[in-house]
Amino acid sequence: MEADPLGRAILDYQRGGLRGDCVYRDGAETRDGNIEGHYFTPREDWRDEWRTLLASLEPPIVDIGCGSGQHAEFLQERGEVVAIDVSPGAVEATRNRGVEDVRVMDMFEMDFRPDRFRSALLSGTQLGLAHSLAGVHRLLSELARITDEEGVAVVDNYDPTDLAPDDLLGYRSDPRRGIAHRTFHFEYDRDGEREVGRTLHFVLFSPERLRDVTVGMPWRVAEIQPREGFYKAVLRKEKR
């Protein structure tokens, strides 16, 4: 069974607290995994524009990379949601929140039928796990397949043109403008036993490069919400 340090940490936090340190690691450098801040932020502390954007999504919705399920739980109050994550621990934590349809599923191997959803959510720079702009194109093509003709997708990423590299653990530069990379893995020192996750490689790209990727696709970049080296993007299907 593949190690699941992040999922196990999420599940432990939900059950009462971490049982050791959960960190991001890149070589000798580490940063706190910030399980509380990333996965258990109280709704009253969500940014107003983020809450408004989530509330605007029309069901049925697929939450891809659902983490602790905090967004899926919110969205389920408004209609049908299917939450997926590759982490069994994250799926269990999401199910514990009362999300009715949550599945262990790899976002690169989704088996949903065409036009299954109206909206798709990829929060937490999940899109960057496609590794390259060609990979991002393939993943967005799959999102186009599983969303209907009025489909909407919300994605996010770091913007290398507005980013202080030293602030981002695992940052790797790229000679192409608007592109960079990030590499790290999770470690969870749980009750004195260290669990090490697989190495994650993210491609980081600016909003302009996202627009480049969507050329010739059903998607258009309808909105960008920038914030300190990071942005959220709303993609909408083009009327044809």
Side-chain angles (χ1 to χ4, degrees):
M1 179 181 296
E2 185 173 338
D4 186 20
L6 178 59
R8 193 179 297 271
I10 288 172
L11 197 55
D12 281 349
Y13 186 92
Q14 186 184 65
R15 290 171 170 171
L18 293 177
R19 293 161 59 172
D21 293 330
C22 182
V23 300
Y24 302 86
R25 178 179 290 278
D26 176 41
E29 187 178 2
T30 63
R31 298 277 175 86
D32 182 74
N34 193 14
I35 299 300
E36 179 179 10
H38 289 157
Y39 300 100
F40 294 92
T41 304
R43 289 187 191 180
E44 57 268 23
D45 293 339
W46 291 1
R47 290 175 176 268
D48 289 343
E49 59 268 29
W50 177 231
R51 185 185 297 104
T52 299
L53 181 54
L54 285 176
S56 73
L57 297 179
E58 296 183 22
I61 304 167
V62 59
D63 182 357
I64 301 170
C66 60
S68 70
Q70 58 181 347
H71 301 137
E73 180 186 32
F74 176 84
L75 295 169
Q76 185 174 259
E77 295 170 4
R78 289 151 177 77
E80 182 191 0
V81 174
V82 178
I84 69 169
D85 203 295
V86 72
S87 160
V91 165
E92 185 173 349
T94 299
R95 187 173 291 118
N96 290 345
R97 283 181 178 268
V99 176
E100 295 173 1
D101 192 344
V102 55
R103 314 175 190 184
V104 176
M105 185 184 293
D106 190 322
M107 68 180 179
F108 298 108
E109 298 178 358
M110 293 186 291
D111 58 0
F112 300 115
R113 62 170 172 77
D115 302 330
R116 170 67 175 83
F117 301 101
R118 170 60 54 86
S119 306
L121 174 66
L122 284 82
S123 180
T125 70
Q126 303 287 333
L127 190 58
L129 285 169
H131 296 171
S132 66
L133 295 187
V136 171
H137 187 280
R138 288 191 293 271
L139 182 53
L140 290 180
S141 295
E142 181 65 2
L143 292 188
R145 183 188 71 83
I146 65 173
T147 51
D148 66 22
E149 63 181 5
E150 297 183 22
V152 174
V154 173
V155 302
D156 56 19
N157 208 336
Y158 291 100
D159 181 356
T161 67
D162 186 35
L163 183 66
D166 292 343
D167 292 340
L168 193 65
L169 179 138
Y171 181 90
R172 306 286 196 275
S173 63
D174 189 291
R176 296 168 293 178
R177 176 167 174 75
I179 299 177
H181 304 267
R182 189 185 191 194
T183 301
F184 64 86
H185 65 264
F186 283 100
E187 294 182 2
Y188 185 24
D189 188 4
R190 187 176 190 264
D191 297 337
E193 295 185 7
R194 187 175 64 166
E195 186 170 2
V196 180
R198 64 185 175 90
T199 299
L200 302 175
H201 169 213
F202 298 80
V203 60
L204 317 181
F205 47 87
S206 66
E208 289 71 25
R209 299 314 300 262
L210 177 60
R211 291 188 176 95
D212 291 343
V213 169
T214 60
V215 170
M217 300 186 71
W219 298 115
R220 66 179 176 86
V221 180
E223 181 182 353
I224 295 291
Q225 295 184 0
R227 179 170 59 87
E228 300 171 355
F230 178 84
Y231 65 93
K232 295 185 183 297
V234 180
L235 310 181
R236 297 186 183 278
K237 290 279 187 74
E238 291 273 19
K239 298 288 187 182
R240 293 184 182 273

